[in-house]
Structures are given as C-alpha cells and as structure tokens.
Amino acid sequence: MSKFYITTAIDYVNAPPHIGHAMEKIMADVIARYQRAAGKKAFFLMGVDENSLKNVRAAEKEGITARELVDRNAQLFSGLKPALNLSFDDFIRTTEKRHLVGAQKLWFACQNDIYKKSYKGLYCVDCEQFRKERELVDGLCPDHKTKPELIKEENYFFRLSKYQERLKEIIENDEIRIIPEARKNETLSFINQGLEDICISRSSERACGWGIDVPNDSSQKIWVWFDALSNYINALGYGENSGKFQDWWQENENKIHVVGKDILRFHAIYWPAMLLSAGLALPKEIFAHGFITVDGQKMSKSLGNIINPYELAEKYGADAVRYFLTAEFPAIEDGDFSYEKFENRYNADLANDIGNLFERVFALVKNRKIEISVDSEIRNLQEKTEKIYSEKMDNYELYEALNAVFAFSKKLNQYINQKEPWKLLKDKDDEGSHILNTLIFGVEKIISWLKPFMPEKMEEAENYLKNLSQQKEKLNLFPRIAR
Ligand code: MSP
C-alpha cells in the first residue's frame, strides 16, 4: 500500500488557536481523509512550536512560567481533534524528549556547515527571525508592525549560501514541488537575490533559558526555527533512527508539508538546505495556502475580531465549519470570514442544495426496492465529475473539487424536477424505479465525495440510507439557520 505523509505547520502556543490555524488543519485533514479513502496509507502529523521566545513573553505577561503556559495552551491545539473532527495520527510538542533528541541530532548532522561568528542584527520576536533594514517599513516589521530588537551576539551560523545553486535546481525542476506555481516563482526569485548564511542560535540569556541547548555549548540555545522544522522527522523517530523514520521519510515518495504563505521560505529554502546538509531525503511537495481575514481585517487581539474555532464548531457543528473553510474560497488565495457569509453559504449549499436533495430523494425512495439500472445521462455526468473531483483532490484544489460536486448535485435536483418521478410511482413501474435508482446512485456518489469534508454528516446520511425502509423521521441533515 503506498504511503502518504502529510504535515501542517506546528503552531506557536502563545495564544489560543484561531480560525486561521483551524483552516490549515482542516485542509490537511480533508486531504488525509481523501488519500485514505483512495487506498493510501496516510499519516497525518500535527503539533505545536513551544520553544519560541514569544511563548516566554506571553507567559511573563500572564505572570506564569513558560512551562505552565505551553502545557495549558498545547491542549487547546491538540483539542481541535475532537472539536473539528481532525484525524491526525500523531501530535508532537517541541518540548518532548523525542523532539529534543532529534533536533540535537540534526544539528550534529549539519555540523560541517555550522560555524560561529559575531553578529549584529535586527530581530523580530513575533516573526522569530532577523529582519534586514531594507525590509522594514518606517523602522517596523512589515508583518507585525513592531520594532525589531537590535541584537549583538556571538552566535552559530548555518552555511545556507553553499546551497544556493542546488536549491535553485531543486525548486526549478520540481524535485520539491511548490504549490501554487506563483509561490514557486516567488521562492526562486528569493533564491536568485542571493542566499546569505543564517544565524541558528541565540545566547541562553536572550532566550531566557528557554529552548533546546546547542549540543556541547549550553551557553547557546538552538534558534527556534532550526529546532521547529526538525519536528517533521522527529515525530517519525529520526532521533532514534527508527524503522518508521526510514519508511515514512527516507524511503517514502509522498511527503507534503501544508503551510501558510508567510512561512513558505522557511520550508522551501531553509528546511531543504538543512536536509541536504544532513544527507537526508527531501520533502516532495509544499502546499502554501492563503490567509483568512475577518470582516476584511487581519485577526488581532486589539481589534477583538479573533474567531475561536471551538465556539464556531459549538454553534454550527464541526462539519459546517470544515465545509465553510474549504468551500468559500480557493485554498491558495486569501479569503474572508464573516458570520453573514458563513450562514449564507451554509443555507445555500448545505440546507438548500445538498440537504434538500437528500430529503427529496429519501422521501421518494422510501420502501422502494433498489435495482442497479442508472440513467445514462446521469451516469456520464457522474463519471465526468468523478474524474474532475479526483484530479482536483490529487492536486489539493479542494474548493474546485467541491464545485464539481455541487454542479453534479444541482443537476440531480434538476433531474428530479424534469422527471417528476412521483407521477410514475406506481408499484412495478419500471420507469419510476429506474429514476429512483439513478437518484440513489447519485446521492451515494455525493456522500462519498463529501465524506472527507464532512465526515460526521456524511456518515449519518450513509447510515440513514442503509436502513431507509425503517426510517420514521426525516434525516434533516442540515437544518436551516434562521437569519
Ligand atoms: N511556529 C511557526 C511554524 C513552524 S513550522 C515548523 C508558526 N506558527 S503560527 O502559529 O504563527 O502559524 C501556524 C500556521 O498558521 C502557519 O502555517 C500560518 O501561516 C497559519 N496561519 C496563521 N494565521 C493565519 C491566518 N489568518 N489565515 C490562515 N493561516 C494562518 O508560524
């Protein structure tokens, strides 16, 4: 059975998760579920990034220790599993022993490319990276609008410059395929500007004693990104060179990292360079998704517009949240959330379109004997839709795959209107039962296509369908939201 390894970014735990985090995890989950249904053995990894300085600062503000903060908040991220119907197979915390051992092992493995030098630079704690003077806008970090700190230290550096040509080749030739194409070009142009060596440690003092020690030099902590990126192999047992690491990383062709566009550079440049240096296999694909805003604005504490995925799922159900975040806009683009958009889409697509179709079909087909003859027009359309759906899903175009499914469901609703099967529903009426078979066939296909997106609701529909003749109540899968 072929393998499929899928990971998401490990989130900082300085604050609870918001729907931006949730969207990424849901997309990855839909892909993992689709790949499993397509017969692959999928392994889906999630986790949290705990060694960062911003976690320390957040803890200070709350008057608790960094350890207390990460322990408390990590649960809010792992708890997304039941809240959002996520199916991750493992959840890694970067304060775990298996991660520490792996991060230090990777440091050793890269040793030929690591050297020490004195350095002066502007560090943005929110980005957890040095920023160039020319990147700043009015002296502030362009992403966080905060003033970076001037740091003067003797630190360890990684010889990123050495990998410039090799990285260019890898990206150009799609040895690591970057999706979408526009982000591939962006990565190439960054490489073409010339890669400089990167600082990969900080003094233990600056790190407030928090983080993973540089091997053999406890006066320094490993830079959080250098440690965090290694989570993808540490979770598989790189630290102890386990069979699982060999099987799922070294010898597996299907490995994809799902990340936001803001952190593509770390995944498409720094991470592959580290792997090349250590002589390890590269990931196969990196999928960079867009950002979600709320009512047209970036989510922020000060604006008070952070949408909590737990509250959303509590109010509308996990599957409705999963559906909205994959159906409202293409994953590679930015999109906007508002309660109005959410409820409109829910009512239009789920209550009216799919919900209504299912109700109509289940009401008609009650007590009918199901045979296998299917209308050729619908069968042809189903085959066409299946093809488009698989192509889109294989290419992580979830929104586009959903569009194909909804075009099919609209057609099925029209088919009922045209054929008016209720007029033909006399017992032993061949034409009538042919139409009903066709409808059941169509609904079953829709269920299988939508299952990775809305596992719970589709399972409910599947179970209802299994015992159609005994159902006494309507299914009412997606009750309308009153507005
Ligand atoms: N800890 C790093 C990632 C290390 S991976 C080795 C980090 N954490 S984060 O919490 O800031 O972001 C985690 C993921 O959430 C990233 O992929 C990021 O792009 C994504 N998102 C954060 N805010 C987002 C939106 N508003 N919309 C969509 N995704 C966003 O970066």
Side-chain angles (χ1 to χ4, degrees):
M1 204 193 253
S2 76
K3 294 191 174 63
F4 185 85
Y5 182 44
I6 182 163
T7 68
T8 54
I10 51 170
D11 308 297
Y12 293 126
V13 292
N14 57 319
H18 56 58
I19 49 164
H21 302 118
M23 180 178 84
E24 177 179 292
K25 313 316 176 209
I26 288 170
M27 282 173 189
D29 188 67
V30 170
I31 297 168
R33 285 178 187 270
Y34 163 75
Q35 292 290 345
R36 288 189 196 110
K40 292 217 183 96
K41 203 171 161 202
F43 191 93
F44 171 21
L45 175 71
M46 255 176 70
V48 277
D49 193 350
E50 300 189 345
N51 296 317
S52 93
L53 208 45
K54 57 201 231 172
N55 296 339
V56 179
R57 302 246 166 117
E60 269 168 13
K61 263 194 199 150
E62 288 195 41
I64 55 175
T65 64
R67 167 54 70 185
E68 283 166 338
L69 179 109
V70 300
D71 282 348
R72 185 194 69 198
N73 284 0
Q75 285 180 32
L76 296 174
F77 286 86
S78 60
L80 290 174
K81 187 175 197 174
L84 295 174
N85 271 336
L86 301 178
S87 63
F88 58 78
D89 299 283
D90 198 355
F91 188 90
I92 187 165
R93 297 180 55 185
T94 57
T95 48
E96 281 174 58
K97 177 101 191 284
R98 59 173 172 164
H99 179 75
L100 179 141
V101 171
Q104 291 188 329
K105 181 172 170 182
L106 188 63
W107 179 286
F108 271 124
C110 293
Q111 218 164 24
N112 286 342
D113 291 320
I114 295 178
Y115 62 95
K116 216 173 179 185
K117 78 165 183 189
S118 291
Y119 184 69
K120 197 165 98 179
L122 294 163
Y123 195 80
C124 171
V125 174
D126 288 316
C127 299
E128 289 285 11
Q129 66 168 324
F130 281 102
R131 288 296 204 169
K132 293 257 169 280
E133 190 101 44
R134 63 178 138 83
E135 290 176 318
L136 307 183
V137 180
D138 299 330
L140 304 179
C141 162
D143 295 331
H144 297 96
K145 318 279 181 258
T146 46
K147 196 166 181 252
E149 297 165 22
L150 181 67
I151 307 293
K152 266 198 243 166
E153 264 180 18
E154 187 177 37
N155 292 140
Y156 290 95
F157 276 71
F158 175 72
R159 238 180 272 284
L160 182 67
S161 55
K162 176 173 155 189
Y163 295 96
Q164 158 121 6
E165 286 315 307
R166 182 70 187 110
L167 285 170
K168 187 173 165 195
E169 200 176 79
I170 287 169
I171 308 288
E172 251 169 14
N173 303 340
D174 291 337
E175 267 178 74
I176 298 178
R177 185 172 156 245
I178 297 181
I179 309 157
E181 190 81 13
R183 301 262 170 240
K184 168 181 171 177
N185 298 335
E186 202 179 278
T187 308
L188 281 171
S189 78
F190 184 79
I191 296 175
N192 289 337
Q193 281 169 26
L195 296 179
E196 289 175 17
D197 294 352
I198 49 169
C199 177
I200 54 163
S201 74
R202 49 187 167 210
S203 68
S204 212
E205 194 190 338
R206 177 153 67 93
C208 305
W210 186 249
I212 299 177
D213 282 352
V214 165
N216 300 328
D217 184 354
S218 60
S219 72
Q220 295 264 322
K221 297 283 180 194
I222 300 180
W223 175 46
V224 65
W225 270 101
F226 197 89
D227 109 52
L229 287 162
S230 70
N231 90 88
Y232 302 128
I233 54 176
N234 297 339
L236 298 174
Y238 166 66
E240 60 270 23
N241 199 18
S242 69
K244 192 168 163 191
F245 167 67
Q246 289 300 324
D247 286 353
W248 284 91
W249 189 266
Q250 290 297 83
E251 284 151 31
N252 175 15
E253 274 303 289
N254 300 313
K255 287 167 283 193
I256 175 168
H257 298 310
V258 177
V259 296
K261 61 179 183 178
D262 58 326
I263 57 169
L264 177 61
R265 188 187 300 175
F266 297 92
H267 286 82
I269 298 177
Y270 299 176
W271 176 227
M274 289 157 65
L275 291 166
L276 287 171
S277 173
L280 298 174
L282 298 172
K284 206 68 203 153
E285 292 177 313
I286 304 172
F287 178 81
H289 62 77
F291 259 49
I292 187 159
T293 50
V294 173
D295 291 316
Q297 285 181 303
K298 195 177 166 189
M299 270 177 282
S300 81
K301 258 194 196 155
S302 52
L303 286 174
N305 65 349
I306 291 174
I307 305 285
N308 177 332
Y310 285 99
E311 284 171 16
L312 207 59
E314 183 74 36
K315 184 162 181 202
Y316 299 107
D319 281 6
V321 177
R322 294 171 63 97
Y323 179 70
F324 179 84
L325 292 174
T326 42
E328 178 67 9
F329 48 87
I332 58 169
E333 288 171 19
D334 290 346
D336 189 49
F337 173 91
S338 73
Y339 281 96
E340 194 185 346
K341 280 185 189 152
F342 188 100
E343 294 186 354
N344 285 343
R345 180 160 289 278
Y346 175 97
N347 279 341
D349 293 1
L350 300 182
N352 289 358
D353 211 329
I354 294 290
N356 188 33
L357 172 71
F358 285 15
E359 289 305 332
R360 291 175 90 186
V361 173
F362 295 163
L364 283 166
V365 180
K366 276 232 152 87
N367 299 323
R368 297 291 298 193
K369 192 167 159 243
I370 306 300
E371 286 142 27
I372 29 147
S373 75
V374 172
D375 188 293
S376 62
E377 189 198 346
I378 296 295
R379 189 185 285 283
N380 288 342
L381 185 65
Q382 177 272 324
E383 281 168 5
K384 232 171 88 190
T385 308
E386 182 81 57
K387 198 164 165 276
I388 300 171
Y389 174 84
S390 315
E391 273 170 21
K392 299 294 179 193
M393 292 297 280
D394 286 336
N395 211 24
Y396 318 121
E397 295 174 296
L398 311 181
Y399 165 90
E400 291 80 356
L402 284 173
N403 277 346
V405 176
F406 276 77
F408 181 77
S409 113
K410 283 203 167 65
K411 181 72 202 171
L412 221 51
N413 260 322
Q414 280 165 13
Y415 178 80
I416 305 180
N417 300 345
Q418 274 162 16
K419 301 282 176 182
E420 302 184 315
W422 48 91
K423 291 190 179 161
L424 302 164
L425 285 182
K426 289 177 236 103
D427 265 342
K428 296 201 192 87
D429 183 288
D430 282 352
E431 166 99 41
S433 90
H434 176 69
I435 295 167
L436 297 186
N437 288 339
T438 302
L439 290 174
I440 286 290
F441 166 81
V443 165
E444 280 178 344
K445 291 297 168 190
I446 292 174
I447 290 175
S448 73
W449 292 326
L450 291 183
K451 216 169 169 184
F453 294 86
M454 295 181 281
E456 201 180 310
K457 290 289 178 184
M458 291 306 119
E459 212 169 282
E460 235 180 276
E462 222 167 36
N463 290 336
Y464 189 92
L465 196 54
K466 266 187 212 143
N467 298 306
L468 210 48
S469 60
Q470 285 145 44
Q471 304 296 352
K472 299 205 168 42
E473 285 174 24
K474 277 189 164 186
L475 176 58
N476 203 14
L477 207 51
F478 300 108
R480 251 191 102 71
I481 302 173
R483 286 192 56 83

